[in-house]
Structures are given as C-alpha cells and as structure tokens.
Amino acid sequence: MSAFRQLLGGNIRQFAMVIVLVVEMLLFHFLTGGTALTAQNLQSVISGNAYVLILAMGMVLVIIAGHIDLSVGSVAAVVGIVLAKATSDTGLGMPWWVGILVALCMGAVIGIWHGFWVAFVGVPAFVVTLAGMMLFRGMNQYIGKSVSIPVPNEVKYIGAGFMNWIPPITVGNWVINSETIILAAVLAAGYVVLRLKARRRQSSLGMKVRPVNVFLIQMAVAVAIVGAGAWVFATGRPGTSFPIPGIIVILLFFFYHFLSTKTPLGRGVYAVGGNRVAAGLTGISVKKINFFVMFNSSILAAIAAIVFVGRSTSSTPMDGVSWELDAIASVFIGGASVWGGIGTVGGTIIGALVMAFLNNGMFLMGMGSDVTQMIKGLVLLLAVAFDVISKMQGRPSIIGTFLQARKRLGVDGAQTDAPKNEEKATQK
C-alpha cells in the first residue's frame, strides 16, 4: 500500500475526481454495451462539451477570487448572435474571420463593463452579473429577433471540424489519422521532457526525489494513457480525428494553467480570494485582480460562443440557457472552495469532464433530461458537501490535500521535508 501511495503521489485522495472520472467512463461503457468509449462517441463528448470546458476555465478564476459570474450564458448568447449577424448573407456579410474578431471584441466590451462595476464601483459581482444575465439575454433576443441565424462553414469547422491536413497512415485494414498521432507524440514527448527537467532541477537543489522505478512507472502510465486515447481518436471513422474544439480546449488549458500557477497575476488571484485585505497590504492591486477575472470570464464566454454556434451551425434564441450553472458545477466538482482562494484549472477540467460523461452516459442509456438533471444536482451537492465536511472535521479538503502535496512534491513528484504545520495552514 505504501508503494501504491508513493506511485500516486503520496495521497490517494488528491486523485479522487480522476478515479471517479475513470470509473464513470468504464461503467457507462459497460452499461451501454461498449458504446461510450468508441471514437465517435468520444468525439461527440469533446465537441459537444467544449463550450462548458472553456466557460469553466474562466469561471474557476472568478470563484477563486471570491466572486461568481451568472452572466456567462447570456454573454455567450449575445456574442453568438452578433457573430451570426455579422457573417450571414442576410446580415452584414462580413468575412468569417472579421466576424470572429467582432465577436471577441463584443466579449471584451462586456468584460470591461462587468469589470468596471465590480472593481471600481464596488458592486458585488453576483449583482452585476445577475443584471448582465438579464440585460444580455434581452439583447440577444432584440438583435436576433428571436430567430435562428446560420453561420459560415469556416465557423462550423471551428466548432465541429477535424484535422485532415495531411494524408492518413494506412496499416493493413487500419486507416490512422496522422495529425492525431502527431499531436499525441508532441504531448507525450513534452510531458517526458518537462518531468525529466524538473527531476534534474530538484536533484541539483539537493531535494529528495522519487525512486527511479516509481518515476519511470509514472511517466509510462501517463504516456500509455495519451497513446491509448490517440489510438481511439485516430482509428475512428475515416476523415475524423481528435476534434478541433478539443485542440482549442487543450491550448486554453495550458495557457491558463501557466497563468494561474506561474505568473504574479495568477498568484494574485489566489491571494485576493484567500484574504483580499491581506493581499492589498502586500501590494497586490485588488481592483486589478477583480477587473481581470471579470474581463477574462467574458472573453472566454465569447470563445465558447464561437465554438458552440460553429457546432450547432447557427445562433438560436435558446443558446446560453443555464450554461452558467454547468460551468459553476464543474468548478465546484473540480475541488474549488465556495469561499474562494482554492481551486485549479486542471481540477475544473476534470469536474467538467465528469459532468460531460455523466450527461452522455445517461443519454446513451435512454434516461430523460429530468432524471439527468436530478442526478447532476445530487452529484454537485455531494461533491461540495464532502469537501465542506472534511474541513469541519479538521481534515484538509481534496484540493487542499492536492496543494499540500504539490508543496512537498516537486513538479516531477520530488518529495521535500515540508513542515507539518504547513498542512494546518491550509485547513479551514
């Protein structure tokens, strides 16, 4: 058991949501007769839920900073209708790329509007975004006249396209998508290089590193998972691959993971969410942080709108309805604290995927939307309640345990002799 714990990073609880996701996928694959993990279904899950993953990456920073954004669904709806109006033949007839720029500018303007009221006027984000939810929902209906408006093929490709830029590889009866294999190879190689560099850096600092065999097993498992996923996507229906919306999500994930963990701006978000008074006393601009998280949330809502209308082929009056609830649920299921100051982009992605596969699995099993909504509500309640109860009993939360493990373990899993009182500092 100690070897198993060491392999997983010293504490099994930090992998709780990952384990839940894996078990969920395997369970639905069994219950649906082997349908859930096919290439076609996985492509559908990624493309169909990319907008939630994108929204959640913006929402987690808002929640870490101690706020909430109820407007992202309505913001996405109005951005979607602006994009459709700008590029459709019955609208302004702009080139597709100009329409995308206009849509992103629309998201930026809304983000400035929200950021101004929250950061400089001091109106609570809950009230500002509640007003924004109503304001921009009405604006969507006013601009679109409550009708569906199609988008160009180029936008459709962004929302539902596949990588087919170079000829596929043919091995016997297998037709393998080349781009998916290249993408997997780049991700796996990058992962190995970063882990090796981190291990070398930890060793040069005199820090205790994991045994070589454990380190190699960890890398081998990660590479095997990437390879298995790549094989499924690459050998699907000819002409398909890992979907374009998934590429967008991956790029945004790396960007926001780096921003939240490696930059002063990202550390400022955590500081303000943990204690904004103390953060202000240390020289952090609380107004700047508050403005940034609200502005950033609207920008990502605009990107989510572009992806969504591309996949659905048009902007409709019902776009964006309840999207904010899915994004918020993903953040909390992913381990963010309801009091702010705690959360990760990676955990949020896992939480969003848990919800995505839950939706997809129950759909494949023929369950109605009523049962699906009830189960999703229970999952959200239990996830947050488990974290809160852990804190009340004096134990670190799941995400708190993860953060403490990262302090004791280097990027490559190197262990340090961190004082035990550090763990107490994260308990609430």
Side-chain angles (χ1 to χ4, degrees), residues 164-285:
N164 285 303
W165 308 317
I166 58 179
I169 303 170
T170 303
V171 180
N173 294 327
W174 296 101
V175 179
I176 306 170
N177 179 263
S178 303
E179 292 90 338
T180 301
I181 298 300
I182 293 172
L183 174 65
V186 170
L187 291 176
Y191 172 80
V192 171
V193 169
L194 290 175
R195 292 292 299 268
L196 288 172
K197 285 185 176 179
R199 181 180 177 86
R200 189 179 301 113
R201 183 175 63 252
Q202 297 291 340
S203 298
S204 66
L205 294 175
M207 302 175 67
K208 183 179 178 181
V209 297
R210 293 191 180 283
V212 174
N213 60 334
V214 173
F215 177 73
L216 292 177
I217 291 174
Q218 288 177 325
M219 288 199 299
V221 169
V223 171
I225 291 174
V226 173
W231 178 259
V232 172
F233 283 107
T235 57
R237 179 168 49 87
T240 64
S241 67
F242 189 76
I244 297 298
I247 302 296
I248 296 173
V249 169
I250 289 174
L251 293 175
L252 289 173
F253 165 74
F254 282 123
F255 175 78
Y256 282 100
H257 175 73
F258 176 81
L259 184 145
S260 62
T261 59
K262 304 296 184 180
T263 67
L265 181 61
R267 291 190 289 269
V269 173
Y270 282 94
V272 170
N275 188 325
R276 66 184 57 195
V277 175
L281 293 175
T282 61
I284 295 174
S285 175

Side-chain angles (χ1 to χ4, degrees), residues 79-100 102-103 143-145 147-156 309 313-316:
V79 168
I81 197 63
V82 166
L83 172 60
K85 273 284 189 178
T87 55
S88 67
D89 295 333
T90 58
L92 299 179
M94 294 179 177
W96 66 273
W97 60 270
V98 176
I100 288 178
V102 170
I143 296 174
K145 307 301 181 184
V147 297
S148 299
I149 302 176
V151 294
N153 290 331
E154 292 84 355
V155 178
K156 295 176 185 177
V309 298
T313 72
S314 64
S315 174
T316 71

Side-chain angles (χ1 to χ4, degrees), residues 124 173 277 291 308 336 353 403:
N173 294 327
V277 175
F291 182 88
F308 181 83
L353 289 175
L403 292 175

